[in-house]
Amino acid sequence: MSVRLRTSAQNKPAKQRGRRVLSVVAALAVLGGGLAVSGSPAYSAPDRAGHPDAVNEGARNLVHEDGFPAVLAAVEGRHGRVRDHTAGTGDLETGAAVPVNGQVRAGSNTKSFTSAVVLQLAGEGKVDLDEPIGTYLPGLVRGEGIDGTRITVRNLLQHTSGLPDYTQSLDPNPFEIRDTYYNPREMLDLALSEKAVFEPGAKWQYSNTNYVLAGLLVEKVTGRPFGEEITNRIIRPLGLKDTYWPKAGERGVRGAHPKGYASATPGGPLEDITRLDPSQAWAAGQLVTTPRDLNRFFSALLGGEVLDAAELKEMTTTVPAAEGSATPNTEYGLGLFRTPLSCGVELWGHGGAIHGYETFGGVTDDGRAATVAVTALSASVAAEPEGILEAHQHVQELVETAICE
């Protein structure tokens, strides 16, 4: 297969703007799990935070002010009551309603599932978090300044490996790659063709390449396909009936879902991109799920249903993850962001973005949970970096509105 990369066919101004936007999108990887918190939630009245009307109002604002086609949310209170919210249009062509708790592409929320599988293997004595990835995948991780014998499994799950992000080499026009199947090794080769970003363990920087390697690690250790392991170890035991790992080549969304939209250039006309080969994300972001299932997963994960105490402690041991971002208090564990909210609680979760969908949320120690999904990337509804960041932050602020009371 010929991997489609960024081309020089675009005119220079568009190319320069594309690079600026790509840098912003890379920064959103940091913001993806950490809310930019400053005082009270900005997308609702402060005295109504957590109230159903405030969440509905915030969802409508995401549609009418930010331009997202649709919004879906699921909010669970301390006592287990779940409220579903929708706004906008599920299909811009037909005007169909947004399905309640509809399926969406999970994007990087998948990383929390992937990390949980690796940590289960660690608990079984099959993986050592402080062993180099080269021990398990000998000779595979090599490049300019890149040495798999110096990058530990922990570095991968923690985003402290210094590995380049392969997504920076993909064509930024999603319609050019929507039907392309990517083999995980091809994505790894894209990353290894670039030089190391920093020495392993020297700092934190988000890279999807880390989780492609984590998926390859799982396959090597278990001798089974990664999708089978994530299904048998996480999805089925937790009863996540609306969550699934797409089969190789599967491009549709199986259940009731709002259509996902994208633009060929930042802020351009929105077009349907629901049909998409998610192999471009693989173990870093391929899952399909629903807001309720994500709440269930993160609640079970932090509640000790997925990992034994020792592995959960490893997962929730964090490092600062906000360098160069608007989230100075955000930290990252092993596949989890930890963010203090304005109402005095900490949110544990992740967040994810893949063409057509952004999804953010998490859980608190006292049992609250919220997930908000929108049906386009922030870079599709806004053209300039400042507008992209603002739209992205508004999605996150709605999560805080839903959590805080």
Side-chain angles (χ1 to χ4, degrees), residues 347-360:
L347 186 74
W348 291 94
H350 206 283
I354 188 170
H355 297 303
Y357 302 92
E358 282 188 13
T359 306
F360 300 97

Side-chain angles (χ1 to χ4, degrees), residues 53 58 105 231 257 270 281 287 315 355 395:
D53 290 345
R105 298 194 187 277
T231 299
H257 63 276
L270 292 177
L287 278 176
M315 193 178 206
H355 297 303
V395 176

Side-chain angles (χ1 to χ4, degrees), residues 216-237:
L216 291 172
L217 167 66
V218 170
E219 292 195 333
K220 183 63 179 289
V221 170
T222 64
R224 301 302 305 164
F226 179 74
E228 181 180 301
E229 289 297 310
I230 204 171
T231 299
N232 292 341
R233 289 174 173 271
I234 309 294
I235 296 172
R236 283 180 182 157

Side-chain angles (χ1 to χ4, degrees), residues 147-366:
D147 182 353
T149 66
R150 300 177 58 235
I151 298 171
T152 66
V153 175
R154 185 186 304 276
N155 289 149
L156 297 178
L157 300 181
Q158 194 180 58
H159 290 303
T160 55
S161 69
L163 288 171
D165 193 334
Y166 74 89
T167 63
Q168 298 301 302
S169 297
L170 299 180
D171 193 317
N173 182 345
F175 298 98
E176 291 296 320
I177 59 174
R178 69 184 302 172
D179 294 315
T180 302
Y181 171 75
Y182 290 91
N183 182 285
R185 292 287 293 270
E186 291 175 308
M187 296 187 291
L188 180 60
D189 287 344
L190 289 178
L192 297 180
S193 68
E194 305 291 333
K195 65 180 181 180
V197 182
F198 53 84
E199 287 289 311
K203 58 184 288 188
W204 183 93
Q205 184 169 313
Y206 197 94
S207 174
N208 289 285
T209 307
N210 292 320
Y211 277 76
V212 170
L213 272 170
L216 291 172
L217 167 66
V218 170
E219 292 195 333
K220 183 63 179 289
V221 170
T222 64
R224 301 302 305 164
F226 179 74
E228 181 180 301
E229 289 297 310
I230 204 171
T231 299
N232 292 341
R233 289 174 173 271
I234 309 294
I235 296 172
R236 283 180 182 157
L238 292 182
L240 305 179
K241 61 184 179 63
D242 295 315
T243 299
Y244 67 92
W245 183 260
K247 298 177 182 178
E250 184 175 0
R251 289 171 283 182
V253 177
R254 297 176 191 174
H257 63 276
K259 288 191 173 181
Y261 294 88
S263 57
T265 57
L270 292 177
E271 301 176 51
D272 184 358
I273 198 164
T274 311
R275 192 191 83 249
L276 175 78
D277 191 320
S279 61
Q280 59 188 257
W282 199 53
Q286 184 169 308
L287 278 176
V288 172
T289 188
T290 64
R292 281 194 179 217
D293 271 8
L294 281 179
N295 285 349
R296 164 66 179 141
F297 167 68
F298 284 114
S299 295
L301 182 63
L302 273 296
E305 295 181 48
V306 178
L307 299 173
D308 290 338
E311 284 68 50
L312 182 58
K313 183 177 180 180
E314 295 280 14
M315 193 178 206
T316 55
T317 298
T318 59
V319 296
E323 182 176 340
S325 82
T327 57
N329 297 315
T330 297
E331 296 188 347
Y332 198 84
L334 304 183
L336 279 179
F337 280 101
R338 182 198 65 80
T339 303
L341 302 185
S342 61
C343 53
V345 299
E346 293 181 339
L347 186 74
W348 291 94
H350 206 283
I354 188 170
H355 297 303
Y357 302 92
E358 282 188 13
T359 306
F360 300 97
V363 300
T364 64
D365 289 336
D366 63 2

Side-chain angles (χ1 to χ4, degrees), residues 19-234:
R19 285 173 178 164
R20 290 179 65 210
V21 170
L22 282 171
S23 68
V24 171
V25 172
L28 296 185
V30 179
L31 299 177
L35 302 171
V37 178
S38 56
S40 56
Y43 244 43
S44 71
D47 60 349
R48 298 170 64 205
H51 191 279
D53 290 345
V55 177
N56 287 332
E57 180 181 344
R60 288 193 295 268
N61 286 341
L62 287 174
V63 173
H64 298 304
E65 297 184 19
D66 290 298
F68 292 106
V71 181
L72 305 84
V75 182
E76 183 172 348
R78 291 186 184 92
H79 304 297
R81 180 186 176 188
V82 179
R83 301 190 304 268
D84 296 297
H85 305 265
T86 63
T89 304
D91 185 329
L92 293 179
E93 182 177 352
T94 67
V98 182
V100 173
N101 194 44
Q103 288 183 329
V104 296
R105 298 194 187 277
S108 286
N109 289 292
T110 304
K111 291 181 174 68
S112 299
F113 288 73
T114 299
S115 181
V117 172
V118 174
L119 286 164
Q120 284 187 356
L121 293 171
E124 295 164 10
K126 298 175 182 177
V127 171
D128 185 333
L129 295 176
D130 295 311
E131 190 70 19
I133 187 61
T135 300
Y136 305 100
L137 301 170
L140 184 62
V141 185
R142 295 181 296 184
E144 186 177 352
I146 299 172
D147 182 353
T149 66
R150 300 177 58 235
I151 298 171
T152 66
V153 175
R154 185 186 304 276
N155 289 149
L156 297 178
L157 300 181
Q158 194 180 58
H159 290 303
T160 55
S161 69
L163 288 171
D165 193 334
Y166 74 89
T167 63
Q168 298 301 302
S169 297
L170 299 180
D171 193 317
N173 182 345
F175 298 98
E176 291 296 320
I177 59 174
R178 69 184 302 172
D179 294 315
T180 302
Y181 171 75
Y182 290 91
N183 182 285
R185 292 287 293 270
E186 291 175 308
M187 296 187 291
L188 180 60
D189 287 344
L190 289 178
L192 297 180
S193 68
E194 305 291 333
K195 65 180 181 180
V197 182
F198 53 84
E199 287 289 311
K203 58 184 288 188
W204 183 93
Q205 184 169 313
Y206 197 94
S207 174
N208 289 285
T209 307
N210 292 320
Y211 277 76
V212 170
L213 272 170
L216 291 172
L217 167 66
V218 170
E219 292 195 333
K220 183 63 179 289
V221 170
T222 64
R224 301 302 305 164
F226 179 74
E228 181 180 301
E229 289 297 310
I230 204 171
T231 299
N232 292 341
R233 289 174 173 271
I234 309 294

